[in-house]
Amino acid sequence: MRVVIQKDYNNMCLWAANYIAGRINAHTDSRPFVLGLPTGSSPLGVYAELIRKNKAGEVSFKNVVTFNMDEYLGLPREHEQSYWYFMHSNFFDHIDIPAENVNILNGMNPDPEAECAAYEAKIASFGGIDLFLGGIGVDGHLAFNEPFTSLSSRTGVRALTSDTLIVNSRFFDNDPAKVPAKALSVGVATVTDAKEVLVLISGHNKARALAASVEGGVSQKWTCSALQLHPAAIIACDEPACGELTVDTYKYFLDIERAERL
């Protein structure tokens, strides 16, 4: 695992956007570059920088296919809190990606299990995901894979915990009862099957989750800990998120990155 520590959120996002753009630009295969994407507050700075790069001609998304992590069950895509709406408002409407290359789970499908199975099959049809960008919750959940979700899970229907409903209620008039109780989500194994995984962790409220991801054992309690088993996992984090790391761990990853730059 590689842990890239930046001084603040903005620098973390710049580093991540540069990394993603570099991977896309280095892709010379005729098949599209397949990019997994998250929603939430963590990637907003990354999306803003990728938009800037696209408009400046530094990266193109014309040969990129995207698969989003999740979507609320029972929320139409026109709803301003749907993840379809979020992604188009904050990213897709501002870059040169073809509309047909965007894949987001349909929370209104009357057969959600079939929707999830078809999503997994479509990912496989593109040869898998090249790079999966992600974020995690304060309890370490990856996508909507709440604590104690199987680390071998695939895309499916997930019941959301009370903690997640409370955290996400800030988008629903601060009323947890208005937050959909279930969501469609890629599984932990769907994410870790990607050739590379890049997870963003920022803020002191994510410090325990970062420590569990890096220093703790692999456990279903912290689904983010599955990253330890991935051969090409990267965590990009900021200084405030490092508050629970031991000093030696913190220094180790700074030293490794410093050596990489030499």
Side-chain angles (χ1 to χ4, degrees), residues 72-113:
Y72 286 115
L73 183 63
L75 212 60
R77 70 183 195 178
E78 297 80 10
H79 192 287
E80 63 180 9
Q81 295 306 329
S82 77
Y83 289 159
W84 189 98
Y85 188 97
F86 175 98
M87 288 303 303
H88 284 79
S89 297
N90 291 291
F91 192 40
F92 296 139
D93 286 349
H94 310 285
I95 59 174
D96 62 348
I97 190 168
E100 62 271 19
N101 287 12
V102 172
N103 295 279
I104 302 176
L105 286 155
N106 178 10
M108 296 301 290
N109 190 325
D111 189 344
E113 295 293 350

Side-chain angles (χ1 to χ4, degrees), residues 9-98:
Y9 173 80
N10 287 337
N11 280 276
M12 178 195 76
C13 290
L14 290 174
W15 187 92
N18 285 334
Y19 188 87
I20 294 167
R23 282 292 185 259
I24 293 171
N25 289 336
H27 183 74
T28 58
D29 200 325
S30 59
R31 78 172 184 86
F33 184 88
V34 185
L35 180 64
L37 295 173
T39 53
S41 57
S42 294
L44 285 174
V46 178
Y47 292 154
E49 177 60 12
L50 288 174
I51 291 168
R52 187 202 67 76
K53 285 180 173 295
N54 180 241
K55 292 186 181 301
E58 298 172 19
V59 66
S60 173
F61 294 87
K62 289 181 179 178
N63 194 38
V64 174
V65 168
T66 64
F67 286 89
N68 260 78
M69 279 188 159
D70 39 33
E71 179 60 281
Y72 286 115
L73 183 63
L75 212 60
R77 70 183 195 178
E78 297 80 10
H79 192 287
E80 63 180 9
Q81 295 306 329
S82 77
Y83 289 159
W84 189 98
Y85 188 97
F86 175 98
M87 288 303 303
H88 284 79
S89 297
N90 291 291
F91 192 40
F92 296 139
D93 286 349
H94 310 285
I95 59 174
D96 62 348
I97 190 168

Side-chain angles (χ1 to χ4, degrees), residues 3 5 211 214-215 239 242-256 258:
V3 178
I5 302 169
V214 176
E215 296 180 332
E239 289 280 356
C242 295
E244 296 291 331
L245 293 178
T246 62
V247 173
D248 283 348
T249 298
Y250 174 80
K251 288 183 176 179
Y252 169 81
F253 285 111
L254 285 180
D255 285 346
I256 291 295
R258 189 177 298 114

